[in-house]
PDB file of all heavy atoms in Angstrom:
ATOM      1  N   GLY A  54      -4.719  -9.791   1.696  1.00 56.00           N
ATOM      2  CA  GLY A  54      -3.947 -10.381   0.611  1.00 56.00           C
ATOM      3  C   GLY A  54      -2.954 -11.431   1.050  1.00 56.00           C
ATOM      4  O   GLY A  54      -2.220 -11.991   0.223  1.00 56.00           O
ATOM      5  N   MET A  55      -2.900 -11.733   2.346  1.00 64.00           N
ATOM      6  CA  MET A  55      -1.901 -12.677   2.846  1.00 64.00           C
ATOM      7  C   MET A  55      -2.242 -14.122   2.529  1.00 64.00           C
ATOM      8  O   MET A  55      -1.344 -14.966   2.431  1.00 64.00           O
ATOM      9  CB  MET A  55      -1.749 -12.516   4.370  1.00 64.00           C
ATOM     10  CG  MET A  55      -0.905 -11.323   4.768  1.00 64.00           C
ATOM     11  SD  MET A  55       0.762 -11.377   4.081  1.00 64.00           S
ATOM     12  CE  MET A  55       1.377 -12.874   4.855  1.00 64.00           C
ATOM     13  N   SER A  56      -3.524 -14.437   2.368  1.00 64.00           N
ATOM     14  CA  SER A  56      -3.902 -15.836   2.129  1.00 64.00           C
ATOM     15  C   SER A  56      -3.299 -16.360   0.837  1.00 64.00           C
ATOM     16  O   SER A  56      -2.820 -17.500   0.780  1.00 64.00           O
ATOM     17  CB  SER A  56      -5.426 -15.977   2.102  1.00 64.00           C
ATOM     18  OG  SER A  56      -5.996 -15.094   1.148  1.00 64.00           O
ATOM     19  N   MET A  57      -3.288 -15.540  -0.216  1.00 64.00           N
ATOM     20  CA  MET A  57      -2.681 -15.962  -1.475  1.00 64.00           C
ATOM     21  C   MET A  57      -1.173 -16.158  -1.322  1.00 64.00           C
ATOM     22  O   MET A  57      -0.596 -17.114  -1.846  1.00 64.00           O
ATOM     23  CB  MET A  57      -2.972 -14.930  -2.573  1.00 64.00           C
ATOM     24  CG  MET A  57      -2.324 -15.255  -3.916  1.00 64.00           C
ATOM     25  SD  MET A  57      -2.793 -16.874  -4.598  1.00 64.00           S
ATOM     26  CE  MET A  57      -4.444 -16.523  -5.191  1.00 64.00           C
ATOM     27  N   ALA A  58      -0.523 -15.257  -0.584  1.00 67.00           N
ATOM     28  CA  ALA A  58       0.915 -15.381  -0.358  1.00 67.00           C
ATOM     29  C   ALA A  58       1.238 -16.666   0.404  1.00 67.00           C
ATOM     30  O   ALA A  58       2.199 -17.371   0.081  1.00 67.00           O
ATOM     31  CB  ALA A  58       1.430 -14.169   0.409  1.00 67.00           C
ATOM     32  N   VAL A  59       0.418 -16.981   1.417  1.00 69.00           N
ATOM     33  CA  VAL A  59       0.643 -18.199   2.208  1.00 69.00           C
ATOM     34  C   VAL A  59       0.432 -19.453   1.354  1.00 69.00           C
ATOM     35  O   VAL A  59       1.207 -20.414   1.418  1.00 69.00           O
ATOM     36  CB  VAL A  59      -0.298 -18.224   3.433  1.00 69.00           C
ATOM     37  CG1 VAL A  59      -0.248 -19.580   4.124  1.00 69.00           C
ATOM     38  CG2 VAL A  59       0.084 -17.109   4.411  1.00 69.00           C
ATOM     39  N   LEU A  60      -0.600 -19.430   0.515  1.00 71.00           N
ATOM     40  CA  LEU A  60      -0.918 -20.593  -0.309  1.00 71.00           C
ATOM     41  C   LEU A  60       0.143 -20.870  -1.365  1.00 71.00           C
ATOM     42  O   LEU A  60       0.388 -22.018  -1.727  1.00 71.00           O
ATOM     43  CB  LEU A  60      -2.283 -20.390  -0.989  1.00 71.00           C
ATOM     44  CG  LEU A  60      -3.521 -20.454  -0.096  1.00 71.00           C
ATOM     45  CD1 LEU A  60      -4.749 -20.016  -0.871  1.00 71.00           C
ATOM     46  CD2 LEU A  60      -3.715 -21.858   0.461  1.00 71.00           C
ATOM     47  N   THR A  61       0.761 -19.818  -1.873  1.00 75.00           N
ATOM     48  CA  THR A  61       1.688 -19.983  -2.999  1.00 75.00           C
ATOM     49  C   THR A  61       3.162 -19.900  -2.626  1.00 75.00           C
ATOM     50  O   THR A  61       4.022 -20.226  -3.440  1.00 75.00           O
ATOM     51  CB  THR A  61       1.411 -18.921  -4.080  1.00 75.00           C
ATOM     52  OG1 THR A  61       1.558 -17.608  -3.502  1.00 75.00           O
ATOM     53  CG2 THR A  61       0.006 -19.064  -4.634  1.00 75.00           C
ATOM     54  N   ALA A  62       3.476 -19.485  -1.398  1.00 78.00           N
ATOM     55  CA  ALA A  62       4.879 -19.244  -1.017  1.00 78.00           C
ATOM     56  C   ALA A  62       5.744 -20.485  -1.175  1.00 78.00           C
ATOM     57  O   ALA A  62       6.822 -20.435  -1.785  1.00 78.00           O
ATOM     58  CB  ALA A  62       4.948 -18.731   0.421  1.00 78.00           C
ATOM     59  N   SER A  63       5.280 -21.612  -0.633  1.00 81.00           N
ATOM     60  CA  SER A  63       6.078 -22.836  -0.696  1.00 81.00           C
ATOM     61  C   SER A  63       6.247 -23.314  -2.134  1.00 81.00           C
ATOM     62  O   SER A  63       7.352 -23.711  -2.543  1.00 81.00           O
ATOM     63  CB  SER A  63       5.414 -23.944   0.130  1.00 81.00           C
ATOM     64  OG  SER A  63       5.392 -23.598   1.489  1.00 81.00           O
ATOM     65  N   LEU A  64       5.172 -23.234  -2.907  1.00 85.00           N
ATOM     66  CA  LEU A  64       5.228 -23.686  -4.303  1.00 85.00           C
ATOM     67  C   LEU A  64       6.207 -22.838  -5.113  1.00 85.00           C
ATOM     68  O   LEU A  64       7.055 -23.373  -5.845  1.00 85.00           O
ATOM     69  CB  LEU A  64       3.831 -23.612  -4.923  1.00 85.00           C
ATOM     70  CG  LEU A  64       3.719 -23.970  -6.413  1.00 85.00           C
ATOM     71  CD1 LEU A  64       4.149 -25.414  -6.648  1.00 85.00           C
ATOM     72  CD2 LEU A  64       2.299 -23.743  -6.908  1.00 85.00           C
ATOM     73  N   ILE A  65       6.123 -21.522  -4.965  1.00 88.00           N
ATOM     74  CA  ILE A  65       6.982 -20.632  -5.741  1.00 88.00           C
ATOM     75  C   ILE A  65       8.435 -20.736  -5.288  1.00 88.00           C
ATOM     76  O   ILE A  65       9.360 -20.718  -6.110  1.00 88.00           O
ATOM     77  CB  ILE A  65       6.469 -19.184  -5.649  1.00 88.00           C
ATOM     78  CG1 ILE A  65       5.125 -19.062  -6.382  1.00 88.00           C
ATOM     79  CG2 ILE A  65       7.475 -18.204  -6.247  1.00 88.00           C
ATOM     80  CD1 ILE A  65       4.439 -17.726  -6.231  1.00 88.00           C
ATOM     81  N   SER A  66       8.667 -20.878  -3.980  1.00 89.00           N
ATOM     82  CA  SER A  66      10.039 -21.039  -3.488  1.00 89.00           C
ATOM     83  C   SER A  66      10.650 -22.342  -3.981  1.00 89.00           C
ATOM     84  O   SER A  66      11.816 -22.378  -4.399  1.00 89.00           O
ATOM     85  CB  SER A  66      10.056 -21.004  -1.960  1.00 89.00           C
ATOM     86  OG  SER A  66       9.736 -19.720  -1.478  1.00 89.00           O
ATOM     87  N   SER A  67       9.864 -23.408  -3.950  1.00 89.00           N
ATOM     88  CA  SER A  67      10.352 -24.703  -4.446  1.00 89.00           C
ATOM     89  C   SER A  67      10.681 -24.620  -5.930  1.00 89.00           C
ATOM     90  O   SER A  67      11.728 -25.112  -6.379  1.00 89.00           O
ATOM     91  CB  SER A  67       9.299 -25.794  -4.213  1.00 89.00           C
ATOM     92  OG  SER A  67       9.032 -25.953  -2.848  1.00 89.00           O
ATOM     93  N   LEU A  68       9.786 -23.995  -6.686  1.00 90.00           N
ATOM     94  CA  LEU A  68      10.025 -23.811  -8.119  1.00 90.00           C
ATOM     95  C   LEU A  68      11.288 -22.990  -8.356  1.00 90.00           C
ATOM     96  O   LEU A  68      12.121 -23.343  -9.203  1.00 90.00           O
ATOM     97  CB  LEU A  68       8.826 -23.116  -8.766  1.00 90.00           C
ATOM     98  CG  LEU A  68       9.003 -22.684 -10.225  1.00 90.00           C
ATOM     99  CD1 LEU A  68       9.020 -23.904 -11.135  1.00 90.00           C
ATOM    100  CD2 LEU A  68       7.907 -21.725 -10.665  1.00 90.00           C
ATOM    101  N   SER A  69      11.469 -21.921  -7.602  1.00 94.00           N
ATOM    102  CA  SER A  69      12.598 -21.021  -7.796  1.00 94.00           C
ATOM    103  C   SER A  69      13.929 -21.717  -7.540  1.00 94.00           C
ATOM    104  O   SER A  69      14.840 -21.662  -8.378  1.00 94.00           O
ATOM    105  CB  SER A  69      12.470 -19.798  -6.875  1.00 94.00           C
ATOM    106  OG  SER A  69      11.274 -19.093  -7.134  1.00 94.00           O
ATOM    107  N   PHE A  70      14.047 -22.361  -6.391  1.00 95.00           N
ATOM    108  CA  PHE A  70      15.318 -22.997  -6.046  1.00 95.00           C
ATOM    109  C   PHE A  70      15.565 -24.253  -6.875  1.00 95.00           C
ATOM    110  O   PHE A  70      16.709 -24.550  -7.230  1.00 95.00           O
ATOM    111  CB  PHE A  70      15.377 -23.300  -4.550  1.00 95.00           C
ATOM    112  CG  PHE A  70      15.710 -22.092  -3.724  1.00 95.00           C
ATOM    113  CD1 PHE A  70      14.714 -21.243  -3.272  1.00 95.00           C
ATOM    114  CD2 PHE A  70      17.028 -21.780  -3.427  1.00 95.00           C
ATOM    115  CE1 PHE A  70      15.016 -20.112  -2.528  1.00 95.00           C
ATOM    116  CE2 PHE A  70      17.357 -20.663  -2.684  1.00 95.00           C
ATOM    117  CZ  PHE A  70      16.339 -19.815  -2.231  1.00 95.00           C
ATOM    118  N   GLY A  71      14.490 -24.972  -7.208  1.00 93.00           N
ATOM    119  CA  GLY A  71      14.643 -26.133  -8.088  1.00 93.00           C
ATOM    120  C   GLY A  71      15.077 -25.724  -9.478  1.00 93.00           C
ATOM    121  O   GLY A  71      15.975 -26.331 -10.085  1.00 93.00           O
ATOM    122  N   ARG A 108       9.951 -17.749 -12.783  1.00 92.00           N
ATOM    123  CA  ARG A 108       9.027 -17.451 -11.686  1.00 92.00           C
ATOM    124  C   ARG A 108       7.790 -16.669 -12.127  1.00 92.00           C
ATOM    125  O   ARG A 108       6.734 -16.777 -11.502  1.00 92.00           O
ATOM    126  CB  ARG A 108       9.745 -16.601 -10.621  1.00 92.00           C
ATOM    127  CG  ARG A 108      10.631 -17.345  -9.693  1.00 92.00           C
ATOM    128  CD  ARG A 108      11.493 -16.372  -8.906  1.00 92.00           C
ATOM    129  NE  ARG A 108      10.729 -15.303  -8.292  1.00 92.00           N
ATOM    130  CZ  ARG A 108      10.215 -15.353  -7.062  1.00 92.00           C
ATOM    131  NH1 ARG A 108      10.376 -16.433  -6.323  1.00 92.00           N
ATOM    132  NH2 ARG A 108       9.562 -14.328  -6.564  1.00 92.00           N
ATOM    133  N   LEU A 111       4.063 -18.238 -12.442  1.00 87.00           N
ATOM    134  CA  LEU A 111       3.245 -18.438 -11.246  1.00 87.00           C
ATOM    135  C   LEU A 111       3.128 -17.168 -10.407  1.00 87.00           C
ATOM    136  O   LEU A 111       2.115 -16.941  -9.736  1.00 87.00           O
ATOM    137  CB  LEU A 111       3.828 -19.553 -10.380  1.00 87.00           C
ATOM    138  CG  LEU A 111       3.696 -20.985 -10.894  1.00 87.00           C
ATOM    139  CD1 LEU A 111       4.368 -21.946  -9.921  1.00 87.00           C
ATOM    140  CD2 LEU A 111       2.235 -21.376 -11.072  1.00 87.00           C
ATOM    141  N   MET A 112       4.153 -16.359 -10.459  1.00 90.00           N
ATOM    142  CA  MET A 112       4.227 -15.205  -9.567  1.00 90.00           C
ATOM    143  C   MET A 112       3.232 -14.118  -9.930  1.00 90.00           C
ATOM    144  O   MET A 112       2.651 -13.473  -9.052  1.00 90.00           O
ATOM    145  CB  MET A 112       5.646 -14.639  -9.602  1.00 90.00           C
ATOM    146  CG  MET A 112       5.992 -13.756  -8.429  1.00 90.00           C
ATOM    147  SD  MET A 112       6.145 -14.720  -6.923  1.00 90.00           S
ATOM    148  CE  MET A 112       6.465 -13.415  -5.735  1.00 90.00           C
ATOM    149  N   ALA A 115      -0.390 -14.555  -8.557  1.00 89.00           N
ATOM    150  CA  ALA A 115      -0.350 -14.443  -7.100  1.00 89.00           C
ATOM    151  C   ALA A 115      -0.127 -12.999  -6.663  1.00 89.00           C
ATOM    152  O   ALA A 115      -0.763 -12.508  -5.720  1.00 89.00           O
ATOM    153  CB  ALA A 115       0.758 -15.333  -6.533  1.00 89.00           C
ATOM    154  N   GLU A 116       0.762 -12.295  -7.362  1.00 90.00           N
ATOM    155  CA  GLU A 116       1.071 -10.911  -7.021  1.00 90.00           C
ATOM    156  C   GLU A 116      -0.108  -9.980  -7.290  1.00 90.00           C
ATOM    157  O   GLU A 116      -0.405  -9.099  -6.487  1.00 90.00           O
ATOM    158  CB  GLU A 116       2.286 -10.445  -7.825  1.00 90.00           C
ATOM    159  CG  GLU A 116       3.596 -10.993  -7.327  1.00 90.00           C
ATOM    160  CD  GLU A 116       4.148 -10.204  -6.155  1.00 90.00           C
ATOM    161  OE1 GLU A 116       4.413  -9.006  -6.301  1.00 90.00           O
ATOM    162  OE2 GLU A 116       4.292 -10.813  -5.077  1.00 90.00           O
ATOM    163  N   LYS A 119      -2.741 -10.376  -4.621  1.00 87.00           N
ATOM    164  CA  LYS A 119      -2.294  -9.751  -3.371  1.00 87.00           C
ATOM    165  C   LYS A 119      -2.424  -8.235  -3.441  1.00 87.00           C
ATOM    166  O   LYS A 119      -2.956  -7.599  -2.515  1.00 87.00           O
ATOM    167  CB  LYS A 119      -0.839 -10.141  -3.096  1.00 87.00           C
ATOM    168  CG  LYS A 119      -0.293  -9.584  -1.789  1.00 87.00           C
ATOM    169  CD  LYS A 119       1.194  -9.852  -1.657  1.00 87.00           C
ATOM    170  CE  LYS A 119       1.982  -8.935  -2.566  1.00 87.00           C
ATOM    171  NZ  LYS A 119       3.451  -9.019  -2.337  1.00 87.00           N
ATOM    172  N   PHE A 177      17.099 -11.612  -9.043  1.00 97.00           N
ATOM    173  CA  PHE A 177      17.515 -12.980  -8.726  1.00 97.00           C
ATOM    174  C   PHE A 177      18.943 -13.259  -9.180  1.00 97.00           C
ATOM    175  O   PHE A 177      19.640 -14.062  -8.564  1.00 97.00           O
ATOM    176  CB  PHE A 177      16.530 -13.997  -9.310  1.00 97.00           C
ATOM    177  CG  PHE A 177      15.463 -14.367  -8.338  1.00 97.00           C
ATOM    178  CD1 PHE A 177      14.386 -13.524  -8.112  1.00 97.00           C
ATOM    179  CD2 PHE A 177      15.541 -15.538  -7.595  1.00 97.00           C
ATOM    180  CE1 PHE A 177      13.408 -13.842  -7.190  1.00 97.00           C
ATOM    181  CE2 PHE A 177      14.578 -15.871  -6.663  1.00 97.00           C
ATOM    182  CZ  PHE A 177      13.507 -15.013  -6.452  1.00 97.00           C
ATOM    183  N   ALA A 272      14.027 -13.240   6.744  1.00 93.00           N
ATOM    184  CA  ALA A 272      13.332 -14.201   5.878  1.00 93.00           C
ATOM    185  C   ALA A 272      14.325 -15.007   5.050  1.00 93.00           C
ATOM    186  O   ALA A 272      14.231 -16.238   4.949  1.00 93.00           O
ATOM    187  CB  ALA A 272      12.352 -13.472   4.967  1.00 93.00           C
ATOM    188  N   VAL A 276      15.478 -18.971   4.588  1.00 94.00           N
ATOM    189  CA  VAL A 276      15.338 -19.597   3.265  1.00 94.00           C
ATOM    190  C   VAL A 276      16.605 -20.329   2.882  1.00 94.00           C
ATOM    191  O   VAL A 276      16.572 -21.497   2.453  1.00 94.00           O
ATOM    192  CB  VAL A 276      14.982 -18.523   2.207  1.00 94.00           C
ATOM    193  CG1 VAL A 276      15.198 -19.070   0.801  1.00 94.00           C
ATOM    194  CG2 VAL A 276      13.542 -18.070   2.365  1.00 94.00           C
TER     195      VAL A 276
END
Side-chain angles (χ1 to χ4, degrees):
M55 282 302 298
S56 55
M57 177 58 76
V59 170
L60 289 171
T61 59
S63 295
L64 176 62
I65 292 173
S66 291
S67 298
L68 172 71
S69 301
F70 281 88
R108 281 168 50 91
L111 288 178
M112 199 70 183
E116 285 278 299
K119 182 187 74 172
F177 268 78
V276 165

